[in-house]
Amino acid sequence: MGDRAGHAPITSVQHAFRLMEAVGAHESGAPAERLARDAGLPLDGAHELLRSLTQDGYLRRLDDGGYVLGAKLHGGHSAQDLVNRIRPALAALRDDLSAAAYLTFYEDGEIRIAEIVDGPKAPKVDLWVGFKDAGHATALGKCVLRELDDEARRDYLARHALADLTPRTITHREELIRQLESSTSAPVMMDREEYDLGTTCIAVPVHSGNRLGSLGVSFRADRMYRTRHVTESLLASANRVSRGLALDL
């Protein structure tokens, strides 16, 4: 009996690590049920550990009930650690446009989702393909690629195949570059069902010092929306996000 009691704390630590590994595999967050399944833990035990890890700052619970890694696991200058500061701007964008809002950052040569703010009336798109492999097919990814210098863009495209995700996906590098370099009246990029059939996304860049990212929203493709209003709201929100990021420099 003494040996079993002595091993209980070690087992709990192992379970906590398995849960944190499961959370880390879902950049945009995952619910307790999915995390428990991924970690091979009973749901009741997973719920208890998730609560404890969240209270201690190792995890953070999103409005939709999903979990992402918390500040203690990111460091003071990471993208996720800045979310608490800039998330209100994303929530305001979501509420203004009745659309899920997304924020990405370009880090270590990859375009990564830092945060998604959605809601019952503004559902997020089903991220059925990992964002790492879909930068060419999303407004968010194309927005970052457009802002990169030629060398960084060539490096990215050399490391990422232009996968055919839908019949509308751009799969030829020259065509993608032509679209990225085409002149427009505002720094706006769109994808029209290129990542997900039935979904249109619009995005603008986010800059702060050496940090580059993009801010965007998604709509059902059959939904009527006012492009000018969406663009103005996105640009205003991107300015607020950039100012929030500047506080960390």
Side-chain angles (χ1 to χ4, degrees):
M1 182 180 296
D3 288 343
R4 287 196 298 272
H7 282 81
I10 295 176
T11 301
S12 294
V13 171
Q14 291 172 334
H15 289 177
F17 276 123
R18 282 159 58 183
L19 267 179
M20 287 189 287
E21 288 174 353
V23 173
H26 298 276
E27 292 182 355
S28 59
E33 293 79 5
R34 174 63 184 273
L35 297 173
R37 185 167 63 251
D38 289 354
L41 300 175
L43 183 57
D44 289 345
H47 271 302
E48 183 176 349
L49 279 173
L50 288 169
R51 282 195 295 269
S52 297
L53 292 168
T54 300
Q55 290 171 358
D56 291 339
Y58 293 103
L59 301 180
R60 186 167 61 84
R61 193 169 189 269
L62 304 176
D63 291 344
D64 64 3
Y67 291 86
V68 294
L69 295 179
K72 282 190 176 182
L73 296 180
H74 279 286
H77 295 278
S78 69
Q80 191 64 53
D81 193 40
L82 299 174
V83 165
N84 286 339
R85 181 184 301 154
I86 60 182
R87 200 168 193 271
L90 274 67
L93 177 65
R94 174 201 60 193
D95 295 342
D96 179 39
L97 300 178
S98 297
Y102 309 77
L103 177 68
T104 76
F105 289 122
Y106 180 70
E107 298 175 325
D108 301 322
E110 300 295 346
I111 304 168
R112 298 190 172 102
I113 292 181
E115 184 65 306
I116 299 175
V117 179
D118 60 352
K121 296 182 179 180
K124 65 183 179 182
V125 66
D126 178 19
L127 299 178
W128 69 283
V129 174
F131 203 81
K132 180 179 178 181
D133 300 316
H136 66 293
T138 66
L140 292 155
K142 289 192 288 185
C143 203
V144 171
L145 291 174
R146 179 180 178 180
E147 298 298 307
L148 293 177
D149 60 38
D150 289 341
E151 181 179 357
R153 186 191 296 166
R154 283 197 300 270
D155 174 71
Y156 181 93
L157 293 176
R159 292 183 289 106
H160 297 81
L162 304 187
D164 185 7
L165 304 183
T166 79
R168 295 175 178 267
T169 307
I170 297 175
T171 57
H172 297 287
R173 183 174 304 182
E174 294 76 13
E175 182 182 353
L176 176 63
I177 292 175
R178 279 197 300 271
Q179 184 185 96
L180 296 176
E181 294 180 345
S182 63
S183 59
T184 60
S185 58
V188 177
M189 293 301 298
M190 295 186 65
D191 84 70
R192 298 174 175 85
E193 303 184 76
E194 295 165 46
Y195 175 82
D196 180 64
L197 286 177
T199 302
T200 294
C201 296
I202 307 175
V204 298
V206 170
H207 289 280
S208 182
N210 293 325
R211 190 187 294 274
L212 168 63
S214 58
L215 177 67
V217 291
S218 64
F219 298 92
R220 288 201 327 266
D222 61 353
R223 173 180 163 186
M224 297 295 293
Y225 57 87
R226 294 171 293 164
T227 303
R228 180 176 178 180
H229 174 61
V230 172
T231 299
E232 291 174 349
S233 187
L234 274 171
L235 290 172
S237 297
N239 286 333
R240 287 195 292 272
V241 169
S242 295
R243 289 197 299 270
L245 295 174
L247 297 175
D248 193 62
L249 299 177

